[in-house]
Amino acid sequence: MERLPSWIRQHLAALRALLVLTLVTGAIYPLLVTGVAQAVMNGNANGSRLQEGGKDVGSALIGQSFTDGDGNPLTKYFQSRPSAGGYDPLASGASNLGPQDVLDTLPVPGAKDDEGNPDTGRQSLLTQVCARSTAVGALEGVSGARPYCTGDGVGAVLKVFPAVGTPTRVVSVNQACPATPFIPAYQGVKVECGMPGEDYAAGRTVPVRGDARAVVPPDAVTASGSGLDPHISVAYAELQAPRVARERGLGLDTVRALIGRHTTGRALGFMGEPGVNVLELNLDLDRLKG
């Protein structure tokens, strides 16, 4: 070995180091960590899977929908927080739309998209929130109204022309004609409904707050950053409790007791807010009824 050139000895030493580190960090360490995890926290290590009747029905860490084949809420179940990725772990993520995203792209009747499908337009984040609030309100029998939303569940946004100076034309851009604008006039100018396909970019964008008081909680109308949040707020669970109790023929106190049983506290006692695990709660409801 000493007779080998120095550059060969250096390469052999590097190769030995590579093999040893690969064995330690690529095999021994992962096996050790996996073994400890399986022995000490088997459930968490295997994905916190939940079973019913001996079959996996989901994970306590991943949200899922409780809807029928057409996407309508199953009324005897608590509903999860909205998901921008359809609760798909492979599509985890948010919509990436920000608070300034308030203008819809109205669908043009008869038009096709690039793939030949009927044009469906694009909902802004504001309109998504308004539509969800309206739907939740209808489902729970409460007001779905909230600030910056029209009565028909879209963003209450005007385009004012010209962008600077005295208005001469005002359009409720998220309400497609022949809809009746949410306010009849703005600064003395009659408000028009939006015409699909018309370019309103030159106008000044004016969101209108209105005087509505939101009853539907924020987590019922906004998706989480991951799109996989398994929890809802206690307020959202309490809002749904009367419906679930009524649909299942249970006492409201019984349903509220189950909500309390599946409510987790703040992380480390001070971070975040208490949350209710929806899948665990719904499974417990099914067992109670069974």
Side-chain angles (χ1 to χ4, degrees):
M1 182 67 72
E2 293 297 330
R3 296 178 181 178
L4 293 175
S6 61
W7 68 271
I8 294 180
R9 294 199 302 272
Q10 292 173 355
H11 279 75
L12 289 174
L15 180 60
R16 287 196 299 271
L18 173 64
L19 294 174
V20 170
L21 291 173
T22 299
L23 179 63
V24 171
T25 62
I28 296 176
Y29 177 74
L31 288 173
L32 177 63
V33 171
T34 300
V36 171
Q38 291 293 331
V40 177
M41 50 187 72
N42 181 269
N44 292 340
N46 290 319
S48 299
R49 290 178 291 184
L50 298 177
Q51 292 190 328
E52 189 68 18
K55 297 181 179 179
D56 290 339
V57 294
S59 168
L61 304 177
I62 297 177
Q64 59 180 264
S65 62
F66 294 89
T67 56
D68 61 19
D70 295 323
N72 300 311
L74 295 172
T75 55
K76 69 176 184 177
Y77 289 109
F78 282 87
Q79 297 299 303
S80 301
R81 186 173 185 177
S83 170
Y87 310 99
D88 182 358
L90 299 179
S92 173
S95 67
N96 292 326
L97 302 178
Q100 300 303 314
D101 188 68
V102 298
L103 299 176
D104 298 353
T105 300
L106 300 176
V108 179
K112 305 286 186 179
D113 61 18
D114 294 339
E115 298 179 354
N117 300 314
D119 179 25
T120 58
R122 188 194 74 89
Q123 285 189 333
S124 63
L125 177 62
L126 176 59
T127 287
Q128 290 180 36
V129 167
C130 296
R132 289 166 180 165
S133 190
T134 299
V136 171
L139 179 64
E140 308 303 343
V142 299
S143 172
R146 62 193 317 113
Y148 299 107
C149 295
T150 68
D152 51 355
V154 300
V157 180
L158 303 175
K159 273 292 189 174
V160 179
F161 301 87
V164 179
T166 303
T168 58
R169 186 188 181 201
V170 182
V171 182
S172 177
V173 287
N174 293 340
Q175 292 183 290
C177 293
T180 301
F182 65 96
I183 55 174
Y186 176 79
Q187 294 187 8
V189 179
K190 182 180 178 181
V191 178
E192 307 170 15
C193 53
M195 291 297 297
E198 187 168 343
D199 185 3
Y200 296 114
R204 173 165 54 94
T205 302
V206 181
V208 179
R209 190 180 193 283
D211 56 2
R213 184 180 67 86
V215 175
V216 177
D219 63 305
V221 299
T222 56
S224 64
S226 68
L228 304 176
D229 195 340
H231 297 90
I232 57 176
S233 66
V234 176
Y236 189 23
E238 289 286 349
L239 180 67
Q240 300 185 66
R243 165 180 52 82
V244 173
R246 182 176 62 254
E247 292 292 325
R248 290 178 176 267
L250 298 172
L252 184 56
D253 289 343
T254 300
V255 175
R256 284 175 170 165
L258 287 177
I259 292 174
R261 185 183 306 171
H262 293 286
T263 299
T264 58
R266 293 179 172 86
L268 301 179
F270 68 94
M271 293 192 301
E273 295 293 332
V276 181
N277 190 290
V278 180
L279 177 57
E280 291 180 344
L281 175 57
N282 283 334
L283 287 174
D284 224 3
L285 280 166
D286 282 344
R287 296 186 191 108
L288 182 65
K289 195 61 177 176

